[in-house]
Amino acid sequence: RSEAASLRERLGRCHVLDWRRFGDAATNTPDGAKFKLDLTKHDERQVARFLLALARKEAQPEEPRLVDCVWSSGDLPAAWQEDWAAEVPREGTLSGAYAFSE
């Protein structure tokens, strides 16, 4: 197990996430812009809120920011990001990636 993984587990993802360079695998090891969030944990719901807000702020027509998203507790409807911006569920795992514009 890596030192970064140990810190992430002990301190929580919110405290070790490099918010300014979210997609940088060198600072957000091991996944860079990919994520797998356990929504039963407060810390990981906070990261989900951050990603939803960032995606909304950087939204471009025909260029989604949150891609390949899967929720273990059900299907994600078309408007899931708007719904979740109001309230992130407290169950399941959300996984996917954040796509940066070129």
Side-chain angles (χ1 to χ4, degrees):
R1 185 164 126 191
S2 74
E3 188 174 327
S6 177
L7 281 173
R8 188 170 47 245
E9 185 177 307
R10 286 188 341 196
L11 300 176
R13 192 178 290 248
C14 278
H15 296 288
V16 297
L17 185 67
D18 185 346
W19 300 95
R20 291 185 180 161
R21 295 181 291 176
F22 177 73
D24 188 345
T27 62
N28 288 314
T29 61
D31 303 317
K34 293 180 183 175
F35 56 86
K36 185 173 183 180
L37 303 171
D38 179 351
L39 300 178
T40 64
K41 297 179 180 177
H42 175 76
D43 236 37
E44 302 211 9
R45 286 193 308 276
Q46 290 295 91
V47 173
R49 287 181 186 99
F50 163 74
L51 292 174
L52 289 162
L54 185 62
R56 186 177 30 217
K57 185 175 182 176
E58 294 187 344
Q60 296 293 322
E62 305 303 316
E63 277 188 53
R65 295 294 183 233
L66 293 174
V67 296
D68 303 326
C69 292
V70 176
W71 183 36
S72 66
S73 293
D75 293 331
L76 292 170
W80 75 273
Q81 292 182 39
E82 291 82 19
D83 295 343
W84 285 33
E87 173 124 21
V88 175
R90 295 174 177 255
E91 64 180 293
T93 300
L94 177 67
S95 57
Y98 193 90
F100 292 89
S101 61
E102 297 299 316

